[in-house]
Amino acid sequence: MSGSGTTADDDPPLQTAVWRLRSRACWTDAAALLEPHALTDPAAAIQRTALLTERCLYTGEGWTDAEDALRAAEALARSDDERGGAACERGHLAYASTLLGVRDRADEASVALSRAAALLAPGAPGRPLLDFRRGLIAQNIADSPQSARAAYRRAHAGAAARGDELLLSFTWRHLAALALQEGELAEARHGFAESLRIREELGYLVGTAPALISLAEAEPEPEAAARLRAEAGRLFRLLGGVPTWLAPHLGVPGPRPAAAS
């Protein structure tokens, strides 16, 4: 549920609460709800790690908490799927550290995601997310747009097959960013618009401002682009300046921009 951003009527109350907190940038509170379960349940431990890593990626803070959660998840993992999921989270945390300039852990990120790929079967539930994260490495660290596009397309197909709407919002956005770099304006606008639509429908508030900014960058009408940026700025201020890396796009001093979400 909360991992994929759905809020179906039959979702467990815990997952519904976790999703609502996560979507409003309350990662620490969401992780606290999972903490009792994460002591013995590998899936809960991996989910808790993912929440705290997302906090790092969006705020640049909380690295020690994420590392501690990751080590706990790795210690609990027993099956290949669980070990693969934990390795995927290690790769993502190392990627976030590298992307935001905290510490260069690019090699660790690549090794961890390769280990996850060896552990997760092609049809495993975690495979689409792994493919997406391998695309992030290719796009933002290895500077290999072709490899990134192939990975994003695999992730997109897997997310669609599994009904993972939140992951689809990410794959739409990153495929659109690659299209924009290549001058394919119509394709980029379509992808960014789909990403924004999904995030608004899911109520993924913390991811809506980045989606608005992306769509503004592909909008040929200056007035329409200005409206999108104004709405992004409103949400950015509402959430207390999160994601921090969005600040330069809004004329606010802050960390360097990154295509993180």
Side-chain angles (χ1 to χ4, degrees):
M1 195 296 316
S2 70
S4 60
T6 63
T7 51
D9 291 340
D10 59 351
D11 285 333
L14 172 63
Q15 291 294 339
T16 299
V18 167
W19 166 251
R20 287 174 177 167
L21 288 167
R22 175 192 179 188
S23 65
R24 289 159 177 78
C26 300
W27 298 282
T28 304
D29 292 339
L33 291 181
L34 289 171
E35 189 168 7
H37 307 274
L39 295 174
T40 56
D41 180 0
I46 290 170
Q47 185 183 9
R48 184 169 181 271
T49 301
L51 288 168
L52 293 172
T53 298
E54 188 169 85
R55 176 194 175 199
C56 294
L57 192 59
Y58 278 67
T59 70
E61 299 176 350
W63 300 97
T64 300
D65 289 342
E67 291 283 0
D68 290 346
L70 172 61
R71 284 192 291 269
E74 289 173 332
L76 279 177
R78 294 291 181 268
S79 69
D80 281 353
D81 275 1
E82 290 164 359
R83 289 194 294 269
C88 189
E89 293 308 323
R90 176 165 290 283
H92 193 49
L93 183 59
Y95 161 78
S97 176
T98 304
L99 186 72
L100 298 184
V102 176
R103 184 158 65 91
D104 187 348
R105 298 171 59 180
D107 290 344
E108 179 187 349
S110 295
V111 168
L113 294 184
S114 294
R115 182 169 186 266
L119 288 166
L120 293 173
R127 196 76 194 202
L129 180 61
L130 170 62
D131 286 332
F132 173 70
R133 289 174 173 174
R134 297 185 90 176
L136 292 176
I137 295 284
Q139 180 182 9
N140 295 322
I141 294 180
D143 192 23
S144 177
Q146 290 184 341
S147 296
R149 181 179 289 103
Y152 291 149
R153 284 176 174 167
R154 289 194 302 272
H156 192 86
R162 298 191 62 82
D164 189 337
E165 291 292 312
L166 183 60
L167 183 54
L168 280 173
S169 83
F170 283 86
T171 55
W172 272 121
R173 181 166 181 256
H174 284 270
L175 284 167
L178 293 174
L180 186 62
Q181 289 175 6
E182 295 177 351
E184 299 292 338
L185 198 59
E187 181 181 345
R189 281 203 308 275
H190 174 70
F192 288 141
E194 284 297 296
S195 178
L196 176 61
R197 177 188 62 78
I198 292 170
R199 292 182 180 195
E200 289 180 333
E201 289 179 355
L202 292 176
Y204 187 49
L205 193 62
V206 72
T208 300
L212 286 163
I213 289 294
S214 292
L215 184 56
E217 290 174 351
E219 176 54 60
E221 295 295 331
E223 290 185 4
R227 286 195 298 271
L228 292 167
R229 291 192 176 93
E231 177 61 13
R234 185 187 71 80
L235 291 174
F236 180 77
R237 292 187 295 273
L238 178 67
L239 293 174
V242 177
T244 55
W245 41 261
L246 199 62
H249 294 278
L250 299 168
V252 180
R256 67 179 179 86
S261 74

